[in-house]
Structures are given as C-alpha cells and as structure tokens.
mmCIF file of all heavy atoms in Angstrom:
data_model
loop_
_atom_site.group_PDB
_atom_site.id
_atom_site.type_symbol
_atom_site.label_atom_id
_atom_site.label_comp_id
_atom_site.label_asym_id
_atom_site.label_seq_id
_atom_site.Cartn_x
_atom_site.Cartn_y
_atom_site.Cartn_z
ATOM 1 N N LYS A 1 -38.724 -2.135 -9.356
ATOM 2 C CA LYS A 1 -38.084 -1.617 -8.147
ATOM 3 C C LYS A 1 -37.981 -0.098 -8.222
ATOM 4 O O LYS A 1 -38.114 0.504 -9.283
ATOM 5 C CB LYS A 1 -36.673 -2.195 -7.980
ATOM 6 C CG LYS A 1 -36.634 -3.579 -7.349
ATOM 7 C CD LYS A 1 -35.216 -3.992 -6.990
ATOM 8 C CE LYS A 1 -34.625 -3.174 -5.866
ATOM 9 N NZ LYS A 1 -35.255 -3.462 -4.550
ATOM 10 N N ILE A 2 -37.710 0.498 -7.075
ATOM 11 C CA ILE A 2 -37.431 1.927 -6.963
ATOM 12 C C ILE A 2 -36.088 2.076 -6.255
ATOM 13 O O ILE A 2 -35.834 1.416 -5.249
ATOM 14 C CB ILE A 2 -38.530 2.644 -6.161
ATOM 15 C CG1 ILE A 2 -39.890 2.520 -6.863
ATOM 16 C CG2 ILE A 2 -38.174 4.111 -5.952
ATOM 17 C CD1 ILE A 2 -41.063 2.969 -6.005
ATOM 18 N N ILE A 3 -35.227 2.945 -6.797
ATOM 19 C CA ILE A 3 -33.916 3.190 -6.197
ATOM 20 C C ILE A 3 -33.761 4.695 -5.976
ATOM 21 O O ILE A 3 -33.789 5.472 -6.933
ATOM 22 C CB ILE A 3 -32.765 2.695 -7.104
ATOM 23 C CG1 ILE A 3 -32.954 1.226 -7.493
ATOM 24 C CG2 ILE A 3 -31.418 2.918 -6.401
ATOM 25 C CD1 ILE A 3 -32.790 0.251 -6.364
ATOM 26 N N SER A 4 -33.598 5.105 -4.720
ATOM 27 C CA SER A 4 -33.376 6.512 -4.394
ATOM 28 C C SER A 4 -31.965 6.691 -3.845
ATOM 29 O O SER A 4 -31.570 6.009 -2.900
ATOM 30 C CB SER A 4 -34.408 6.998 -3.365
ATOM 31 O OG SER A 4 -35.686 7.111 -3.942
ATOM 32 N N HIS A 5 -31.219 7.615 -4.443
ATOM 33 C CA HIS A 5 -29.830 7.889 -4.059
ATOM 34 C C HIS A 5 -29.775 9.239 -3.338
ATOM 35 O O HIS A 5 -30.323 10.226 -3.822
ATOM 36 C CB HIS A 5 -28.929 7.973 -5.293
ATOM 37 C CG HIS A 5 -29.115 6.879 -6.292
ATOM 38 N ND1 HIS A 5 -30.232 6.795 -7.110
ATOM 39 C CD2 HIS A 5 -28.312 5.842 -6.637
ATOM 40 C CE1 HIS A 5 -30.115 5.747 -7.908
ATOM 41 N NE2 HIS A 5 -28.966 5.155 -7.635
ATOM 42 N N THR A 6 -29.082 9.292 -2.220
ATOM 43 C CA THR A 6 -28.950 10.566 -1.534
ATOM 44 C C THR A 6 -27.895 11.443 -2.208
ATOM 45 O O THR A 6 -26.912 10.939 -2.765
ATOM 46 C CB THR A 6 -28.582 10.389 -0.051
ATOM 47 O OG1 THR A 6 -28.517 11.689 0.561
ATOM 48 C CG2 THR A 6 -27.236 9.691 0.128
ATOM 49 N N VAL A 7 -28.097 12.765 -2.126
ATOM 50 C CA VAL A 7 -27.055 13.704 -2.545
ATOM 51 C C VAL A 7 -26.388 14.323 -1.315
ATOM 52 O O VAL A 7 -25.544 15.205 -1.441
ATOM 53 C CB VAL A 7 -27.645 14.812 -3.457
ATOM 54 C CG1 VAL A 7 -28.173 14.225 -4.739
ATOM 55 C CG2 VAL A 7 -28.736 15.614 -2.738
ATOM 56 N N ASP A 8 -26.766 13.844 -0.132
ATOM 57 C CA ASP A 8 -26.237 14.368 1.126
ATOM 58 C C ASP A 8 -25.720 13.220 1.996
ATOM 59 O O ASP A 8 -26.265 12.927 3.059
ATOM 60 C CB ASP A 8 -27.356 15.129 1.856
ATOM 61 C CG ASP A 8 -26.885 15.787 3.147
ATOM 62 O OD1 ASP A 8 -25.655 15.841 3.386
ATOM 63 O OD2 ASP A 8 -27.754 16.236 3.925
ATOM 64 N N PRO A 9 -24.657 12.541 1.543
ATOM 65 C CA PRO A 9 -24.191 11.360 2.280
ATOM 66 C C PRO A 9 -23.653 11.674 3.673
ATOM 67 O O PRO A 9 -23.614 10.784 4.533
ATOM 68 C CB PRO A 9 -23.097 10.795 1.375
ATOM 69 C CG PRO A 9 -22.633 11.953 0.555
ATOM 70 C CD PRO A 9 -23.852 12.805 0.332
ATOM 71 N N LYS A 10 -23.265 12.920 3.917
ATOM 72 C CA LYS A 10 -22.749 13.277 5.245
ATOM 73 C C LYS A 10 -23.827 13.094 6.304
ATOM 74 O O LYS A 10 -23.566 12.566 7.400
ATOM 75 C CB LYS A 10 -22.244 14.724 5.234
ATOM 76 C CG LYS A 10 -21.626 15.150 6.562
ATOM 77 C CD LYS A 10 -21.062 16.561 6.473
ATOM 78 C CE LYS A 10 -20.437 16.988 7.800
ATOM 79 N NZ LYS A 10 -19.888 18.380 7.720
ATOM 80 N N ARG A 11 -25.033 13.529 6.002
ATOM 81 C CA ARG A 11 -26.134 13.419 6.972
ATOM 82 C C ARG A 11 -27.007 12.191 6.735
ATOM 83 O O ARG A 11 -27.597 11.658 7.684
ATOM 84 C CB ARG A 11 -26.996 14.692 6.939
ATOM 85 C CG ARG A 11 -26.292 15.911 7.491
ATOM 86 C CD ARG A 11 -27.203 17.115 7.540
ATOM 87 N NE ARG A 11 -27.550 17.594 6.192
ATOM 88 C CZ ARG A 11 -28.300 18.673 5.968
ATOM 89 N NH1 ARG A 11 -28.799 19.352 6.992
ATOM 90 N NH2 ARG A 11 -28.562 19.053 4.736
ATOM 91 N N ASP A 12 -27.110 11.759 5.487
ATOM 92 C CA ASP A 12 -27.980 10.613 5.187
ATOM 93 C C ASP A 12 -27.236 9.303 5.390
ATOM 94 O O ASP A 12 -26.844 8.608 4.453
ATOM 95 C CB ASP A 12 -28.526 10.719 3.756
ATOM 96 C CG ASP A 12 -29.619 11.762 3.645
ATOM 97 O OD1 ASP A 12 -30.139 12.200 4.690
ATOM 98 O OD2 ASP A 12 -29.956 12.147 2.512
ATOM 99 N N THR A 13 -27.045 8.980 6.662
ATOM 100 C CA THR A 13 -26.470 7.695 7.040
ATOM 101 C C THR A 13 -27.502 6.598 6.782
ATOM 102 O O THR A 13 -28.692 6.891 6.547
ATOM 103 C CB THR A 13 -26.124 7.703 8.530
ATOM 104 O OG1 THR A 13 -27.345 7.903 9.275
ATOM 105 C CG2 THR A 13 -25.137 8.815 8.858
ATOM 106 N N PRO A 14 -27.102 5.330 6.818
ATOM 107 C CA PRO A 14 -28.106 4.263 6.686
ATOM 108 C C PRO A 14 -29.244 4.415 7.691
ATOM 109 O O PRO A 14 -30.413 4.212 7.346
ATOM 110 C CB PRO A 14 -27.284 2.990 6.930
ATOM 111 C CG PRO A 14 -25.917 3.340 6.442
ATOM 112 C CD PRO A 14 -25.727 4.786 6.825
ATOM 113 N N GLU A 15 -28.915 4.788 8.928
ATOM 114 C CA GLU A 15 -29.948 4.955 9.948
ATOM 115 C C GLU A 15 -30.905 6.087 9.579
ATOM 116 O O GLU A 15 -32.132 5.962 9.762
ATOM 117 C CB GLU A 15 -29.304 5.249 11.309
ATOM 118 C CG GLU A 15 -28.483 4.109 11.883
ATOM 119 C CD GLU A 15 -27.085 3.995 11.269
ATOM 120 O OE1 GLU A 15 -26.678 4.926 10.538
ATOM 121 O OE2 GLU A 15 -26.426 2.972 11.520
ATOM 122 N N ALA A 16 -30.360 7.187 9.062
ATOM 123 C CA ALA A 16 -31.203 8.326 8.675
ATOM 124 C C ALA A 16 -32.095 7.961 7.496
ATOM 125 O O ALA A 16 -33.265 8.349 7.444
ATOM 126 C CB ALA A 16 -30.331 9.528 8.340
ATOM 127 N N MET A 17 -31.542 7.208 6.545
ATOM 128 C CA MET A 17 -32.347 6.807 5.389
ATOM 129 C C MET A 17 -33.439 5.833 5.796
ATOM 130 O O MET A 17 -34.559 5.897 5.286
ATOM 131 C CB MET A 17 -31.454 6.192 4.307
ATOM 132 C CG MET A 17 -30.483 7.149 3.672
ATOM 133 S SD MET A 17 -29.700 6.471 2.177
ATOM 134 C CE MET A 17 -28.974 4.963 2.822
ATOM 135 N N LYS A 18 -33.123 4.935 6.720
ATOM 136 C CA LYS A 18 -34.133 3.972 7.186
ATOM 137 C C LYS A 18 -35.266 4.697 7.899
ATOM 138 O O LYS A 18 -36.456 4.382 7.697
ATOM 139 C CB LYS A 18 -33.483 2.949 8.110
ATOM 140 C CG LYS A 18 -34.423 1.820 8.519
ATOM 141 C CD LYS A 18 -33.676 0.731 9.264
ATOM 142 C CE LYS A 18 -34.593 -0.438 9.595
ATOM 143 N NZ LYS A 18 -33.861 -1.536 10.274
ATOM 144 N N ALA A 19 -34.908 5.695 8.712
ATOM 145 C CA ALA A 19 -35.935 6.480 9.399
ATOM 146 C C ALA A 19 -36.780 7.259 8.390
ATOM 147 O O ALA A 19 -38.003 7.381 8.548
ATOM 148 C CB ALA A 19 -35.280 7.431 10.395
ATOM 149 N N TYR A 20 -36.136 7.785 7.367
ATOM 150 C CA TYR A 20 -36.856 8.513 6.312
ATOM 151 C C TYR A 20 -37.820 7.580 5.587
ATOM 152 O O TYR A 20 -38.985 7.943 5.344
ATOM 153 C CB TYR A 20 -35.844 9.107 5.327
ATOM 154 C CG TYR A 20 -36.460 9.847 4.171
ATOM 155 C CD1 TYR A 20 -36.931 11.146 4.325
ATOM 156 C CD2 TYR A 20 -36.551 9.258 2.906
ATOM 157 C CE1 TYR A 20 -37.484 11.845 3.260
ATOM 158 C CE2 TYR A 20 -37.107 9.938 1.837
ATOM 159 C CZ TYR A 20 -37.571 11.229 2.014
ATOM 160 O OH TYR A 20 -38.127 11.919 0.959
ATOM 161 N N ALA A 21 -37.356 6.386 5.257
ATOM 162 C CA ALA A 21 -38.208 5.408 4.569
ATOM 163 C C ALA A 21 -39.435 5.073 5.415
ATOM 164 O O ALA A 21 -40.559 5.004 4.901
ATOM 165 C CB ALA A 21 -37.409 4.144 4.262
ATOM 166 N N GLU A 22 -39.230 4.887 6.703
ATOM 167 C CA GLU A 22 -40.346 4.585 7.596
ATOM 168 C C GLU A 22 -41.303 5.773 7.683
ATOM 169 O O GLU A 22 -42.531 5.596 7.719
ATOM 170 C CB GLU A 22 -39.826 4.212 8.983
ATOM 171 C CG GLU A 22 -39.074 2.886 9.006
ATOM 172 C CD GLU A 22 -38.424 2.596 10.347
ATOM 173 O OE1 GLU A 22 -38.431 3.516 11.230
ATOM 174 O OE2 GLU A 22 -37.894 1.483 10.529
ATOM 175 N N ARG A 23 -40.742 6.967 7.700
ATOM 176 C CA ARG A 23 -41.564 8.172 7.848
ATOM 177 C C ARG A 23 -42.494 8.383 6.657
ATOM 178 O O ARG A 23 -43.654 8.790 6.826
ATOM 179 C CB ARG A 23 -40.659 9.392 8.036
ATOM 180 C CG ARG A 23 -41.394 10.683 8.346
ATOM 181 C CD ARG A 23 -40.457 11.742 8.869
ATOM 182 N NE ARG A 23 -39.579 12.302 7.858
ATOM 183 C CZ ARG A 23 -38.263 12.132 7.825
ATOM 184 N NH1 ARG A 23 -37.678 11.386 8.753
ATOM 185 N NH2 ARG A 23 -37.529 12.678 6.887
ATOM 186 N N ILE A 24 -42.008 8.092 5.445
ATOM 187 C CA ILE A 24 -42.834 8.340 4.261
ATOM 188 C C ILE A 24 -43.667 7.128 3.864
ATOM 189 O O ILE A 24 -44.518 7.218 2.975
ATOM 190 C CB ILE A 24 -41.976 8.794 3.063
ATOM 191 C CG1 ILE A 24 -41.047 7.671 2.589
ATOM 192 C CG2 ILE A 24 -41.198 10.058 3.403
ATOM 193 C CD1 ILE A 24 -40.318 7.992 1.295
ATOM 194 N N GLY A 25 -43.431 5.981 4.500
ATOM 195 C CA GLY A 25 -44.198 4.786 4.176
ATOM 196 C C GLY A 25 -43.641 3.985 3.022
ATOM 197 O O GLY A 25 -44.389 3.300 2.305
ATOM 198 N N ALA A 26 -42.327 4.035 2.825
ATOM 199 C CA ALA A 26 -41.697 3.272 1.741
ATOM 200 C C ALA A 26 -41.604 1.791 2.107
ATOM 201 O O ALA A 26 -41.249 1.449 3.237
ATOM 202 C CB ALA A 26 -40.295 3.819 1.459
ATOM 203 N N ASP A 27 -41.911 0.933 1.160
ATOM 204 C CA ASP A 27 -41.753 -0.512 1.318
ATOM 205 C C ASP A 27 -40.344 -0.870 0.865
ATOM 206 O O ASP A 27 -40.056 -0.914 -0.329
ATOM 207 C CB ASP A 27 -42.793 -1.243 0.471
ATOM 208 C CG ASP A 27 -42.636 -2.760 0.519
ATOM 209 O OD1 ASP A 27 -41.724 -3.244 1.217
ATOM 210 O OD2 ASP A 27 -43.416 -3.450 -0.169
#
C-alpha cells in the first residue's frame, strides 16, 4: 500500500485530496 499524509489539513479536505488523487492518477 501507499499512504500519503497532508501537512496542510486546513486546505486539504477529503474533497481536495480526492480531487488531487484523481488529478495525478492515484489508484
């Protein structure tokens, strides 16, 4: 597995992280 933790929780909401994952092609 791969686990990425944000250091910017104020802006990196679940929705923002999901959009980021889709943008970079993360499975």
